[in-house]
Amino acid sequence: MKNYVFWFVVGSHLLYGDECLEQVGMDAVKISEHLSSVLPYPVEFCDVMKSNSDITEIISKANRTDDCAGVITFCHTFSPSKMWINGLSMLQKPWLTFHTQFNEGIPNEAIDMDYMNLHQSAHGDREHGFIGARMRIPRKVIAGYWKNSEVTERIADWQRVAVGAAFSKSLKVMRFGDNMREVAVTEGDKIEAQIKLGWQVNTWGVGAMVEVMEKVSDAEVDAKMDEYKEKYDFSLITSEADIETVRYQAREEIAIKKLLDKEGCSAFSNTFQDLYGLKQLPGLASQNLLASGYGYAGEGDWKTSALCAIMKRMGKKVTDYSDGLSVFMEDYNYDLKNGICLGAHMLEVDPTIAADKPRVEIHPLGIGDREAPARLVFENKPGKGIVASIIDIGGRFRLIVQEIKCIKPTQTMPNLPVARVMWKPEPSLTVGAECWIIAGGAHHTVLSLDVTSEMMRDFARIMDIEFILIDGDSTPAKIEQELFVNDLVWKLKG
Ligand code: MN
């Protein structure tokens, strides 16, 4: 990960004179220093913008600077917006209009016309807002006092999204084999994905993985086994044959990681219909890899895999993205009486969201025609979250996000040989499912406990893809109406 920074571009105008502009600059330094001390990425004050050429130069430089993940603007004084047009027309970085004011209140005694000219964001940022709206440039607007932690938390979330967007633009996805045969929703236009989202999605034969596996040394497998024993519960792995089964997964993980790292890929997918030369479908191998930050989705689902990698980067622990709480998930079964969804997958549930130490177990698979693979079995952490699905709806991508509440699984399910996750969807299991199905959301999702629906809306805006939210206020009729209008809008957008 790069050391991303955000540029703080502060609007003013020459007519206010040197003394006022100097004060604007000093105030801007104080704001940027405070923001840098509380946000996940630093905010660098650029300069006070006084003219068309100042703005054009700074935006052009922001576009060329790889480490600059976004531009934050604030008009301390009035800053006539026609001087922003040339610069903003070329802006390629995510843009946040931060509508704040240097002083939190109105100073009763001190306020006079000079003070009003200096502290004028109340109308300066409205002029600024007009030009953003007039030019139809996608942007985020956050209003509030710059020392207020609720305000800075929202800026922090936007920064994480902007970094996720930068990551998306260079993301490479490795596919082992093609999509599972006859499945529709995992298909999609990879050219469109690269144009809109930047994803480079390419295929490698599973035989390439087998070749690398054969060259993995016993010492490498020993080291990986030590890591597994440290992180996971081995109480059910008792015989020599069991150990050999787990060692095979270790060998698979090492080989997959070597291939991903060699090609610079941060996400991958595979399919149980293409296991040429493999004795076990990767289970524990994939699970441990996912927990270290790689994106994944099964059955060749490159879209969910890519989204998973991006959402992991958007997670709260930005210095150690393996702690981002976003995982590949699949809807499996319902408790219709209590409005609960059970999510799992054949093998590859990411232990990132495990409530306790995951247990290594070995069970045969009903499909895939291979030896019984080792996998991790565990229950999820509880908490508020979302599930997100990205689909190719024909002519555009649609990102569908539903708010959920993960709960401690209500049943033990002793014969279910995989990790299990339970949640209550908004507004309810059945109404939510009606909305989801009307919108065309997939059975594969990314479930997250630290990326919010507002962050996903911001991501969709930055990437210029359709966004549909299912929350506590959603109804099938409202969703249907929104989709109907969206279809027309996106066709007009071309
Ligand atoms: Mn699946």
Side-chain angles (χ1 to χ4, degrees), residues 316 325-326 353 380-386 404-406 447-451:
K316 299 280 181 200
L325 298 172
S326 296
I353 57 160
N380 62 284
K381 287 188 177 99
K384 274 191 171 179
I386 57 168
I404 63 166
K405 187 165 175 259
C406 281
L447 181 148
S448 182
L449 292 173
D450 64 0
V451 175

Side-chain angles (χ1 to χ4, degrees), residues 299 330 345 444:
E299 292 107 55
E330 185 168 81
H345 203 256
H444 282 175

Side-chain angles (χ1 to χ4, degrees), residues 4 66 78 167 219 254 258 269 329 335 361-362 367 410 415 449:
Y4 285 110
D66 280 351
F78 196 69
F167 174 73
I254 294 161
K258 280 184 178 180
S269 71
M329 190 47 57
D335 174 351
E361 298 188 17
I362 300 167
I367 49 179
T410 53
N415 296 312
L449 292 173

